[in-house]
Amino acid sequence: MVRTPDPTRQRDAERSNAQLEMLHSFAAKLNVLTETAEIGNTITAELRTIVDYHNCRVYLLQDEARLMPIAFRGELTTEYAEEDLHALITEIGEGITGTVAATREALLTPDAREVPFSVTIPGTDDDLLESMLAVPMIAGDTLVGVIVLSSLGYAMFDEDDQRMVEVLAPHAAAAFQNASLLEAERDAARAAGALLQLSQSLTGRRTVAEILADAIESMETIIRCAATAAYVRDETGSFRVMQLHACGGRTVRPRAEIADVPATVADMFLSSTSPFVIPQAVAAQVPDDVRIMEAFGDVLVCPLQWEPGEVGALIAVGDPDGEPFDESAVRLAQGIGDLTALALGNARRIGELERFHRLVESLDAVFWEAEANGLRVTFLGGRVEELFGADAATWLDHPWGEHIIDADRAVAVAEVRRAITDGTDANVEYRIGAPGGDGRWLRDLVTVVRGSHGPRQVRGLTVDVTERRHAEQTLRESERKYSEAFLREREAAERLRALDEMKNTFLEAVSHDLRTPLTSILGSALTLEQSRLEMPSTDALDLVHRVAANARKLERLLGDLLDLDRLQRGIVSPQRRATDIGALIARVLAEVENPDGRAIDVEAGLLSANVDGPKVERIVENLVANALRHTPPEAHVLVWARAVDGGIEIGIDDAGPGVPAEVRESIFEPFEQRPGPTSGHSPGVGIGLSLVRRFAELHDGRAWVEPRDGGGSSFRVFLPNA
């Protein structure tokens, strides 16, 4: 009897095979992608091969509150053709997409209209029958985004579709997180290169207009914005647009149509010398005649001051639908502002020098003669009235020096008398009271005329050096100010070098710890694939265990990196509860990876403390893993906990080689490795001990290492009572 094949079963088998092939293809493609847009488009394309949908959207979480669509694929000509980026942006908790993100639970509905919290996208049909499947993308404990599938008709998706997307979602979440890390590194490199290029460009500029034009054009390449502008305070105190630049093909108003910002308004905002952000809601209150462009978002303001009284500002205007300016943008604006102010000061100083040389070349002078004995003035010539005033003729027959102000007279006269005594020339500078009450600086080039019986006459050439004196004072002030700016720039460069070294260390460590488990997972998966599951079940189970173990390693690595980031940004707070410390330690030791199977002794007893249990579990887990990783297999490991004055103390003691005194602090810094022999384990990324210290500090406690009696190390953590 010939059995007729069941078409339904055959279709299910074909679908299952297609799904398995898609999983392999999907994972392989995501491993090599580094751009979020590429990842999103790959997801929508791969899903199309096994799930029949008419609309697929991939959202990423931004600013902890908004879901931003980064990929869209649709083939039917429906109301969705009218969707745009602004309409698809979703808040957490809003509609089906936002609710899935808030609850972190997938949603499958045969008819979206039946979901009470569904929201109709503006411009679409309220009565459109549509099936929907929405699945959150989660990596560890972190929500990354949401995948949303739509199809016209009732119950177009089933539970197999849901399970398939749920399997894909963690892979997609991990790929997006990796791309985000790489994008941050690329942005930092681009910003550093752009700042260096700006610095080199400004070196050759000599005018304020040229310098400000270079500055605002460079801002576009460093900070994402819609327009940039440079303001300079004029003689009335108002701030006037001196340079204007539109970014990315956008349109700005003609400069002549933009009104000046009154001094009373500008001074309120420019009281600080550091860059700051004016939120979009506040910026929207600016009068129309002052606006640079019609529609805009946040406004980033970088005050400038390059000389006393010389004040201005660089402005970056955000896109109305774009991301707000973050702390990174503010720091980059500070760098642009420092370079611009430095260049403006240098240009001003060079201008002062050029004016000084012109003054010397077109010098107007007064000539005078006086008797060597008594310094009685006998002759005045040259531009006397222009320099000394109309009453200068009355100085004849009076001692030289009576025209000098009291504060300078004694020194100047003494210098001339010394020249007469020594028979040498002298240069004397002093101040006089000029008509109108303004003082002037004069310089006398004094020559002693000698006769047969000694000095008989003194001749002098007097020039006005007021401008030069002011220029020198300005130069001294500028040199002091800009030497400080150069120091800040050098310190910033040193910080950049340190960050670059940390980046290289981080990439080397993370690439090793990512590649090792990924290689093992890939090898095991290929073995399973090539065997077509025909190998003995024990061998197959062993390979599956290896895949799971290495996947857990990757999950712990990503979890550590994310925890370190959250701790550094200060967005983690302890959730204290009464906790059985002994039971907590037992749970950790039951799950810790111990490939050598060495004995771990515990001395905890009955001990309870008011702490954040999961954070303390991470402390114990990382300390035990550190002891197993960095001590020989025969080394003894002891985990203990006890009550101490003001809290509890947890320790992990080993009989290994110990930690040198000079690195007992540095090993708690991110990406630092503990020196000495290891147990043969992977050396690790170098963030485990850093997390231990930061989790301890999160409890207002501390972590440290000290030598163990009898040899080895004792890593300890103190957690105070709440």
Side-chain angles (χ1 to χ4, degrees):
M1 176 178 177
V2 178
R3 179 172 296 174
T4 302
D6 185 347
T8 301
R9 181 175 299 175
Q10 183 176 357
R11 284 195 303 271
D12 290 341
E14 291 174 353
R15 179 180 182 182
S16 177
N17 290 334
Q19 290 175 344
L20 289 174
E21 291 176 2
M22 187 270 185
L23 277 173
H24 289 293
S25 173
F26 182 79
K29 289 181 179 180
L30 289 187
N31 284 337
V32 299
L33 297 180
T34 60
E35 300 286 345
T36 56
E38 287 182 309
I39 296 170
N41 290 331
T42 299
I43 293 170
T44 60
E46 293 294 323
L47 281 174
R48 168 63 81 189
T49 63
I50 59 167
V51 179
D52 186 17
Y53 66 77
H54 84 271
N55 187 291
C56 178
R57 291 169 299 220
V58 180
Y59 291 82
L60 288 185
L61 179 64
Q62 293 187 359
D63 301 330
E64 304 295 330
R66 292 195 301 176
L67 293 164
M68 186 72 67
I70 56 97
F72 174 89
R73 182 180 289 263
E75 295 182 356
L76 296 181
T77 304
T78 68
E79 289 82 357
Y80 284 103
E82 301 300 323
E83 289 183 345
D84 57 24
L85 178 66
H86 182 73
L88 292 176
I89 295 174
T90 303
E91 300 290 330
I92 294 291
E94 176 188 13
I96 291 178
T97 303
T99 301
V100 168
T103 62
R104 302 192 178 194
E105 294 181 359
L107 184 143
L108 173 62
T109 176
D111 186 350
R113 298 173 301 180
E114 297 176 353
V115 178
F117 47 80
S118 66
V119 175
T120 301
I121 297 175
T124 62
D125 187 357
D126 291 345
D127 200 31
L128 185 69
L129 175 57
E130 186 178 43
S131 306
M132 290 193 69
L133 171 59
V135 176
M137 294 184 290
I138 299 174
D141 295 327
T142 302
L143 175 69
V144 176
V146 180
I147 299 174
V148 181
L149 300 177
S150 304
S151 186
L152 296 179
Y154 185 84
M156 303 303 293
F157 303 118
D158 57 22
E159 292 181 354
D160 287 339
D161 296 326
Q162 179 177 339
R163 283 192 294 271
M164 182 62 186
V165 179
E166 287 177 339
V167 171
L168 296 179
H171 294 282
F176 280 125
Q177 285 192 325
N178 290 336
S180 178
L181 290 172
L182 291 173
E183 185 176 2
E185 294 294 336
R186 289 194 295 265
D187 287 345
R190 284 195 296 267
L195 285 174
L196 178 60
Q197 184 177 3
L198 173 61
S199 177
Q200 294 171 341
S201 172
L202 293 179
T203 302
R205 303 305 184 190
R206 290 292 177 266
T207 68
V208 173
E210 291 175 340
I211 293 170
L212 293 178
D214 274 5
I216 65 171
E217 289 174 8
S218 296
M219 288 184 80
E220 177 187 7
T221 65
I222 301 173
I223 301 171
R224 293 186 179 91
C225 51
T228 57
Y231 284 79
V232 174
R233 186 166 65 184
D234 60 20
E235 61 277 6
T236 68
S238 299
F239 280 75
R240 178 170 302 166
V241 177
M242 190 167 186
Q243 295 290 346
L244 191 60
H245 177 67
C247 307
R250 296 175 177 85
T251 302
V252 295
R253 296 174 61 190
R255 194 170 66 177
E257 296 179 9
I258 302 174
D260 295 348
V261 179
T264 54
V265 176
D267 289 343
M268 290 190 300
F269 289 101
L270 299 179
S271 58
S272 170
T273 58
S274 300
F276 57 91
V277 176
I278 303 175
Q280 183 178 19
V282 177
Q285 302 175 19
V286 172
D288 291 341
D289 60 345
V290 179
R291 296 185 180 186
I292 294 175
M293 55 197 313
E294 293 298 327
F296 53 89
D298 294 352
V299 177
L300 174 57
V301 181
C302 180
L304 298 175
Q305 185 171 352
W306 57 97
E307 289 290 341
E310 299 288 348
V311 180
L314 300 179
I315 307 295
V317 180
D319 193 281
D321 297 323
E323 293 297 316
F325 294 116
D326 55 16
E327 293 181 1
S328 175
V330 174
R331 289 193 300 270
L332 291 172
Q334 180 71 70
I336 298 171
D338 288 344
L339 292 174
T340 305
L342 182 63
L344 289 169
N346 286 338
R348 174 65 180 269
R349 182 169 58 181
I350 292 172
E352 293 285 354
L353 286 172
E354 291 173 348
R355 285 193 293 273
F356 170 70
H357 286 300
R358 289 195 298 270
L359 175 65
V360 171
E361 292 170 358
S362 60
L363 187 64
D364 291 332
V366 170
F367 302 91
W368 58 269
E369 291 181 352
E371 296 175 348
N373 185 17
L375 292 180
R376 183 177 66 87
V377 177
T378 59
F379 176 81
L380 283 174
R383 300 183 178 274
V384 178
E385 290 189 3
E386 296 171 30
L387 191 61
F388 295 131
D391 62 342
T394 61
W395 295 356
L396 289 171
D397 296 329
H398 287 266
W400 181 90
E402 288 187 355
H403 61 297
I404 302 174
I405 66 172
D406 295 341
D408 296 345
R409 183 182 300 125
V411 174
V413 171
E415 184 65 15
V416 173
R417 291 192 181 280
R418 184 198 60 76
I420 295 172
T421 301
D422 297 340
T424 59
D425 295 339
N427 291 328
V428 184
E429 292 190 4
Y430 52 84
R431 288 168 292 178
I432 65 170
D438 295 331
R440 288 186 180 181
W441 278 96
L442 302 182
R443 182 181 184 184
D444 275 12
L445 308 178
V446 178
T447 300
V448 178
V449 180
R450 303 183 64 86
S452 58
H453 301 288
R456 61 180 181 82
Q457 194 177 49
V458 181
R459 292 175 180 172
L461 174 67
T462 304
V463 294
D464 188 342
V465 293
T466 303
E467 289 292 333
R468 194 213 70 194
R469 276 282 189 165
H470 289 168
E472 288 177 347
Q473 182 178 0
T474 301
L475 285 174
R476 285 193 296 270
E477 293 174 354
S478 298
E479 288 170 355
R480 176 186 58 78
K481 176 180 178 181
Y482 291 107
S483 65
E484 295 173 356
F486 277 121
L487 287 175
R488 291 197 302 272
E489 184 178 5
R490 185 170 61 186
E491 291 171 356
E494 292 173 354
R495 288 195 297 271
L496 285 174
R497 282 194 294 271
L499 286 172
D500 187 64
E501 293 175 0
M502 180 177 287
K503 176 204 70 175
N504 293 336
T505 303
F506 166 79
L507 291 177
E508 290 173 3
V510 171
S511 63
H512 178 278
D513 270 46
L514 284 173
R515 188 181 295 112
T516 300
L518 280 174
T519 301
S520 177
I521 291 173
L522 182 60
S524 300
L526 289 174
T527 301
L528 288 169
E529 180 184 39
Q530 293 170 359
S531 69
R532 300 181 181 275
L533 299 179
E534 295 177 358
M535 64 172 61
S537 60
T538 55
D539 293 342
L541 186 59
D542 178 66
L543 290 175
V544 172
H545 286 327
R546 292 185 185 182
V547 170
N550 283 283
R552 284 192 292 270
K553 286 182 182 179
L554 289 176
E555 183 181 15
R556 284 196 299 272
L557 172 60
L558 291 174
D560 285 347
L561 291 172
L562 292 172
D563 284 341
L564 181 61
D565 178 64
R566 286 192 289 264
L567 287 166
Q568 287 177 332
R569 288 190 287 144
I571 61 175
V572 180
S573 59
Q575 306 296 320
R576 294 179 180 265
R577 294 182 179 85
T579 304
D580 186 339
I581 301 301
L584 181 149
I585 292 174
R587 287 196 303 273
V588 173
L589 295 182
E591 298 177 2
V592 74
E593 182 182 359
N594 188 2
D596 298 318
R598 75 181 71 186
I600 302 176
D601 298 328
V602 180
E603 294 178 5
L606 296 176
L607 180 62
S608 179
N610 193 30
V611 297
D612 188 328
K615 302 297 186 298
V616 177
E617 286 184 5
R618 296 292 298 281
I619 289 174
V620 177
E621 177 187 0
N622 285 339
L623 288 178
V624 172
N626 179 70
L628 296 177
R629 183 184 297 118
H630 292 288
T631 57
E634 66 275 12
H636 180 74
V637 175
L638 171 65
V639 182
W640 54 267
R642 59 172 174 252
V644 296
D645 185 24
I648 64 169
E649 190 171 316
I650 300 173
I652 284 77
D653 297 350
D654 63 65
V659 180
E662 63 270 18
V663 298
R664 288 175 188 162
E665 279 298 315
S666 64
I667 61 174
F668 287 95
E669 295 297 325
F671 315 121
E672 291 289 338
Q673 300 291 335
R674 177 179 172 184
T678 69
S679 63
H681 290 213
S682 167
V685 177
I687 59 177
L689 292 180
S690 174
L691 287 174
V692 168
R693 170 163 285 183
R694 291 172 186 266
F695 280 139
E697 292 172 349
L698 193 65
H699 285 79
D700 296 325
R702 65 189 186 97
W704 72 99
V705 60
E706 60 187 47
R708 177 178 173 269
D709 294 337
S713 303
S714 179
F715 283 81
R716 302 187 178 190
V717 173
F718 168 72
L719 303 176
N721 293 325

